[in-house]
Amino acid sequence: MDRLNKLSITSRKAASVASCAAASRAAAPVSELPRFQSFDLLATLVAVVRTDGCVLFANAALEDALGISRRTIEGSQLPDCFTEPLILQNALLGAGSNEFAALRYDAWLRRMHHEPLPVHVVVAQTDTPGEAIVELLPLEAQAKQDREERLMDQAQATKELIRNLAHEIKNPLGGIRGAAQLLQMDISKELTEYTQVIIHEADRLQTLVDRLLAPHRRPHLVGDVNIHEVCERVRSLILAEFPKGLRVVRDYDTSIPDFRGDHEQLIQAVLNIVHNAAQALAERMTAGDAQITFKTRIARQVTFGKQRYRLALELHVVDNGPGVPDSIKDRIFYPLVSGREGGSGLGLTLAQTFVQQHHGLIECESRPGQTDFKLLIPLP
């Protein structure tokens, strides 16, 4: 008897799925498919569903995330793909009864052979009655996008701050230095020591201001750039400065094409990052196990800097040092912020500026034993 009941339940479930699939085919005739297929161009996970939960269309990104074919997804119940299906069912019913135009909430998406994926769900009505669009934004990706936007906004604010501050400092500095020189001519030799201190400090500040303004003054010299030539140049420079106890590992993807850029700027950007890493590895160099790794890869269909690129260069500079101090992790690209005593705090600021002039971005992930600076630059 139990077996008959199970068969009956299975039969009803199969009939329900078959009915949903049939309705899906009826609701989405071939003539309407182009209206849905444009969603395949998006990196966002998207499904078009009936308000009873039946999937009419699933885009390629959702197919990849779930790990099952589109043919299997379409005609199935989308709420069953979530750890808490009832929330989506209620949201779809609300959309169908015009209780709201759009609804947002966080949920967990079930995946084949993987842990559930945390997503931000957006349920919105379409212009067709009884139909809704469900957009799923992986929270990890959303956090990454928010972080990149903060970096871009921070860099732009930093650039404006540097320009304004540097110009405000330059004029008084010139006056201070000139006044000290005039004063030096009229005082005794015993007091010139003090005027020399004024002149020396004014010159030091002038040098600092010039370094701050340098990236914005120097013309952008564009030519063909091979990223591995850049890495090899930096490798030779850093090994010349730190010849003992440091190993520089190369993990290159030689298929990466050349791109248009400023060769010298990119050398300087990478050198600033590697030089910081080498200085952080002082203790490991003494122990003889300091290591910096250059790893190049091609990233496909990536979004950074609020734009989507078909291809991008990923250059990872990884070291096995102590990591970036927690107190400055969120501020390492700010000017004059340094985790090292005596550091100017300009190296990473200038590196970020140079990479952004190539429409790219530098990100950093750090923990004790591994710090990874990732340079992203669009490829043709």
Side-chain angles (χ1 to χ4, degrees):
M1 191 69 175
D2 288 342
R3 186 178 177 187
L4 287 175
N5 286 337
K6 286 179 183 176
L7 287 172
S8 175
I9 291 168
T10 304
S11 221
R12 285 199 300 272
K13 187 173 180 181
S16 173
V17 170
S19 171
C20 182
S24 173
R25 287 191 295 271
V30 175
S31 61
E32 287 190 3
L33 287 181
R35 179 166 69 98
F36 296 158
Q37 285 178 333
S38 60
F39 291 131
D40 276 336
L41 302 175
L42 300 177
T44 306
L45 285 55
V46 176
V48 182
V49 299
R50 289 205 327 248
T51 50
D52 63 359
C54 182
V55 180
L56 303 177
F57 176 84
N59 75 341
L62 180 58
E63 182 181 19
D64 291 341
L66 292 175
I68 53 180
S69 69
R70 186 181 316 202
R71 185 186 296 272
T72 304
I73 301 169
E74 292 174 354
S76 68
Q77 283 286 323
L78 187 63
D80 292 341
C81 296
F82 291 85
T83 57
E84 298 181 65
L86 188 60
I87 301 176
L88 181 57
Q89 289 172 358
N90 291 335
L92 291 171
L93 290 174
S97 58
N98 292 316
E99 291 180 17
F100 55 82
L103 176 70
R104 295 172 175 266
Y105 69 95
D106 293 339
W108 292 85
L109 184 68
R110 299 179 190 274
R111 296 186 294 169
M112 187 74 71
H113 309 305
H114 291 283
E115 291 293 320
L117 176 70
V119 291
H120 183 69
V121 183
V122 182
V123 181
Q125 296 174 322
T126 70
D127 54 0
T128 302
E131 184 181 278
I133 292 178
V134 179
E135 186 178 5
L136 310 175
L137 306 171
L139 292 178
E140 296 166 1
Q142 185 65 38
K144 179 176 179 291
Q145 183 178 339
D146 292 342
R147 185 172 66 249
E148 288 174 352
E149 289 184 5
R150 282 198 307 272
L151 279 174
M152 297 294 288
D153 293 341
Q154 167 191 314
Q156 185 60 37
T158 298
K159 186 188 299 183
E160 294 302 321
L161 172 65
I162 287 174
R163 282 178 175 171
N164 294 335
L165 186 60
H167 285 299
E168 288 296 323
I169 292 172
K170 281 197 72 171
N171 292 335
L173 270 182
I176 291 169
R177 192 182 193 285
Q181 286 177 316
L182 291 173
L183 184 63
Q184 187 171 279
M185 289 189 271
D186 294 333
I187 61 176
S188 63
K189 288 185 178 180
E190 292 79 12
L191 297 176
T192 56
E193 177 185 349
Y194 301 108
T195 55
Q196 282 298 316
V197 169
I198 296 172
I199 293 169
H200 174 75
E201 289 303 302
D203 287 342
R204 187 177 64 82
L205 288 173
Q206 180 66 56
T207 301
L208 179 62
V209 169
D210 288 341
R211 286 187 66 193
L212 287 169
L213 288 174
H216 313 294
R217 285 175 167 173
R218 184 176 176 274
H220 197 46
L221 303 176
V222 177
D224 288 333
V225 176
N226 183 302
I227 193 59
H228 300 126
E229 290 178 1
V230 171
C231 292
E232 287 300 297
R233 175 75 179 279
V234 172
R235 181 177 181 273
S236 63
L237 289 171
I238 212 69
L239 286 177
E241 186 174 351
F242 302 92
K244 294 183 179 179
L246 175 63
R247 180 168 171 249
V248 179
V249 178
R250 291 167 285 190
D251 180 4
Y252 295 158
D253 179 352
T254 55
S255 69
I256 295 175
D258 291 357
F259 58 94
R260 302 292 288 173
D262 188 318
H263 190 263
E264 294 303 318
Q265 275 193 356
L266 290 174
I267 287 176
Q268 189 63 55
V270 178
L271 182 60
N272 286 358
I273 294 171
V274 175
H275 198 267
N276 276 7
Q279 289 176 327
L281 288 167
E283 291 186 9
R284 282 196 172 271
M285 285 186 199
T286 304
D289 63 350
Q291 179 172 301
I292 296 174
T293 302
F294 289 126
K295 183 170 77 172
T296 59
R297 294 291 185 269
I298 290 180
R300 303 178 188 278
Q301 301 297 339
V302 291
T303 301
F304 57 89
K306 301 181 182 180
Q307 291 192 41
R308 185 166 179 78
Y309 298 98
R310 187 178 62 87
L311 292 176
L313 160 70
E314 275 190 11
L315 167 59
H316 295 263
V317 178
V318 186
D319 71 72
N320 63 342
V324 178
D326 289 337
S327 59
I328 63 169
K329 266 186 181 178
D330 295 332
R331 301 180 292 119
I332 56 172
F333 294 108
Y334 283 7
L336 310 181
V337 173
S338 176
R340 179 173 52 86
E341 187 176 348
S344 67
L346 293 177
L348 293 179
T349 302
L350 296 178
Q352 186 74 274
T353 299
F354 289 145
V355 171
Q356 286 188 344
Q357 288 177 354
H358 291 78
H359 309 290
L361 188 71
I362 304 177
E363 297 178 333
C364 176
E365 292 184 4
S366 181
R367 65 177 188 271
Q370 180 174 306
T371 298
D372 182 357
F373 280 90
K374 180 170 70 173
L375 285 73
L376 288 160
I377 297 176
L379 289 174

